[in-house]
Amino acid sequence: MRIGVPRGLLFFYYYPLWEAFFRTLGVELVVSAPTSRPLFNRGVVLASDETCLPVKVFFGHIESLREKQVDYVFLPRMVSMEKRTYLCPKLLGFPEVVTSVITDLPPVLTANFNLRKNPKELDKALHELGKQLGYNARRIQQAVEAAREAQARFEDLLLGGQEFDLAVKGRSAERNTAEVALRIGVLGHAYMLYDRFTSLDIKGKLSKFGTEIITAETVDSGEIDHYMEQLPKKMFWSHSKRILGAAYSFIDDPRVHGLVHLSCFGCGPDSMIADMVERACRRRGKPFMVLTLDEHTGEAGLVTRLEAYVDMLRRRVEVENNISAHG
Ligand code: SF4
């Protein structure tokens, strides 16, 4: 049996969970190719104009699976993955929205993941998937355990600063621990930051300017919760909570010289987060830049802005170093 997985949106958060689950059951996963210009353009044509960029790209990935001769397309309905927080509502109705737009898809394989009240709901959702494919409870339980283990390893690797491309395969590489002159906290949804084409490879570009990049995935959940507890109102969007908590942690960290927020045009949570981070940065005198990407964003203008930002950070650090050297 072959199951198609679109390489977009929650792929960047949960692929190791799905991969280990289906592999242990003996199912072959067929992942759509990395985002490319034709795939991107197809997604933009298929999705509604008003939706955000990552959802448009996701449509392109789903459509590309039509040619892969898969038995099912996997589109889990992930409502909530931790206590009393939710994923974006745009993701919840995906199985219905997608099948109404792309009518000749293979059958959709789905299950509800709603861990809002109880983390054990994860096992229940995976058992439901396994049962739909005709496996017995014992075999499914083995797959559930493998899936949990793979996901925990992936998250640990990201937390330790491993690159996404390695961590998603459960692999790690020796990290360069040499002191860097500039460290930048790059904020954004994993499906933007780690998709090179959609993000215009912002991470790679900043690295080429000689900076070290850290992302929200490197911040411990306890630290995120610590910052979130200080807000007057609970942040109930999971991804926004992580991005905002990481931003506050970077602002407090003197080893982080500046913050860049890669925001998606058409994303409500992102516009709110960008405003909150900007205010906090202004209060603390930390340089902050928002880059809002949509399907029309050009690479040349972006490089100029990044270059100017990095130059400004470099000059600030030089001035600060001079002041501390000469008292
Ligand atoms: S959180 Fe924002 S970017 Fe992500 S799916 Fe929702 S609207 Fe789109």
Side-chain angles (χ1 to χ4, degrees), residues 1 3 21-22 25 27 72 109 126-140:
M1 187 187 309
I3 295 184
F21 178 72
F22 288 115
L25 287 179
V27 171
Y72 295 95
L109 176 69
L126 291 171
H127 270 270
E128 192 190 320
L129 280 173
K131 264 191 245 155
Q132 287 179 53
L133 299 175
Y135 292 97
N136 66 38
R138 198 162 143 266
R139 181 94 177 260
I140 299 172

Side-chain angles (χ1 to χ4, degrees), residues 9 51-55 87-91 94 189 191-192 239-240 264-270:
L9 294 175
T51 200
C52 60
L53 183 62
V55 166
L87 299 181
C88 173
K90 282 199 177 123
L91 310 178
F94 241 97
H189 298 281
Y191 39 77
M192 284 298 287
H239 298 161
S240 302
C264 314
F265 184 78
C267 172
D270 268 5

